[in-house]
């Protein structure tokens, strides 16, 4: 069993992960409207990952005998100034999520909740990967937009990304 406070923040994170999926779907739609299907695919894969992260929180909350509380999902931004702006937003968003995960770990440590701390360590490592992936994609987008055909070439490359579910629950 988790504390009332831990239940509350785990549910907050569950809903934040679902919002992240919603945000990346909005970014995918933005790229679809620009006929950049590869970049749209990259964002759809990202959305799938975030939704699976949300389900990890959902399953953990249930497993610990706590109550799942779903809240209203905020409407995401729908327009950006450029593909670079989109990926700058991705990186900034992932840094916010990293901060949220770190706060959860801090609370688990403060409460001596070793099970939740252990559960969260997967997300700590995942956020390192998420920030690296977003930063790398941003750098590529910045480079590609300097050449007239660069974005189209990168779009084709990003179109090959596939969603691979993690092996853990």
């Amino acid at each position: 069993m988790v504390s009332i406070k831990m239940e509350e923040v785990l549910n907050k994170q569950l809903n934040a992960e679902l919002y992240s999926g919603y945000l990346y779907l909005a970014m995918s739609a933005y790229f679809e409207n620009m006929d950049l299907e590869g970049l749209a695919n990259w964002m759809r894969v990202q959305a799938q990952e975030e939704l699976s992260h949300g389900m990890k929180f959902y399953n953990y909350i249930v497993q610990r005998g706590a109550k799942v509380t779903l809240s209203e999902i905020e409407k995401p931004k729908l327009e950006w100034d450029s593909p670079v702006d989109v990926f700058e937003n991705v990186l900034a968003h992932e840094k916010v999520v990293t901060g949220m995960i770190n706060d959860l770990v801090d609370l688990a440590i403060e409460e001596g909740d070793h099970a939740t701390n252990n559960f969260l360590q997967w997300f700590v490592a995942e956020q390192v990967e998420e920030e690296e992936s977003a930063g790398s994609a941003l750098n590529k987008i910045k480079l590609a937009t300097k050449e007239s055909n660069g974005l189209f070439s990168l779009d084709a490359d990003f179109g090959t990304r596939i969603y691979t579910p993690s092996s853990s629950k």
Side-chain angles (χ1 to χ4, degrees):
M1 193 77 178
V2 296
S3 71
I4 300 280
K5 177 66 176 167
M6 187 59 72
E7 179 180 312
E8 179 184 303
V9 296
L10 288 170
N11 273 294
K12 182 178 177 186
Q13 189 64 40
L14 160 60
N15 286 282
E17 298 291 344
L18 296 177
Y19 169 77
S20 293
Y22 204 42
L23 174 64
Y24 292 133
L25 280 176
M27 291 173 170
S28 179
Y30 169 80
F31 286 125
E32 290 285 359
N33 290 334
M34 294 178 73
D35 290 328
L36 293 170
E37 290 86 11
L39 296 173
N41 176 69
W42 196 96
M43 290 299 171
R44 274 193 311 276
V45 169
Q46 194 66 25
Q48 287 177 295
E49 284 186 14
E50 299 304 334
L51 295 174
S52 75
H53 296 169
M55 288 309 300
K56 284 179 185 288
F57 276 96
Y58 178 96
N59 291 335
Y60 183 75
I61 293 166
V62 169
Q63 183 181 30
R64 292 301 305 273
K67 181 181 177 185
V68 170
T69 306
L70 299 175
S71 62
E72 186 174 332
I73 299 174
E74 179 184 342
K75 180 180 178 180
K77 183 176 178 176
L78 301 173
E79 293 294 328
W80 290 267
D81 294 332
S82 67
V84 170
D85 185 36
V86 174
F87 279 91
E88 287 173 341
N89 277 257
V90 169
L91 182 57
H93 180 74
E94 289 302 334
K95 288 180 178 183
V96 168
V97 173
T98 296
M100 294 172 73
I101 296 294
N102 290 342
D103 290 346
L104 283 169
V105 170
D106 290 344
L107 179 62
I109 290 168
E110 179 184 312
E111 292 193 355
D113 185 343
H114 302 291
T116 299
N117 183 24
N118 183 59
F119 166 73
L120 292 170
Q121 292 310 305
W122 183 89
F123 289 95
V124 171
E126 176 68 9
Q127 282 311 118
V128 170
E129 291 176 18
E130 294 284 3
E131 284 189 33
E132 178 185 29
S133 176
S136 175
L138 174 59
N139 289 337
K140 288 175 183 175
I141 290 287
K142 284 180 177 179
L143 288 171
T145 56
K146 291 180 182 178
E147 301 175 20
S148 60
N149 291 328
L151 189 58
F152 295 107
S153 175
L154 189 60
D155 183 58
D157 180 51
F158 278 25
T160 64
R161 185 180 187 211
I162 59 170
Y163 173 66
T164 306
S166 65
S167 59
S168 64
K169 239 180 171 177

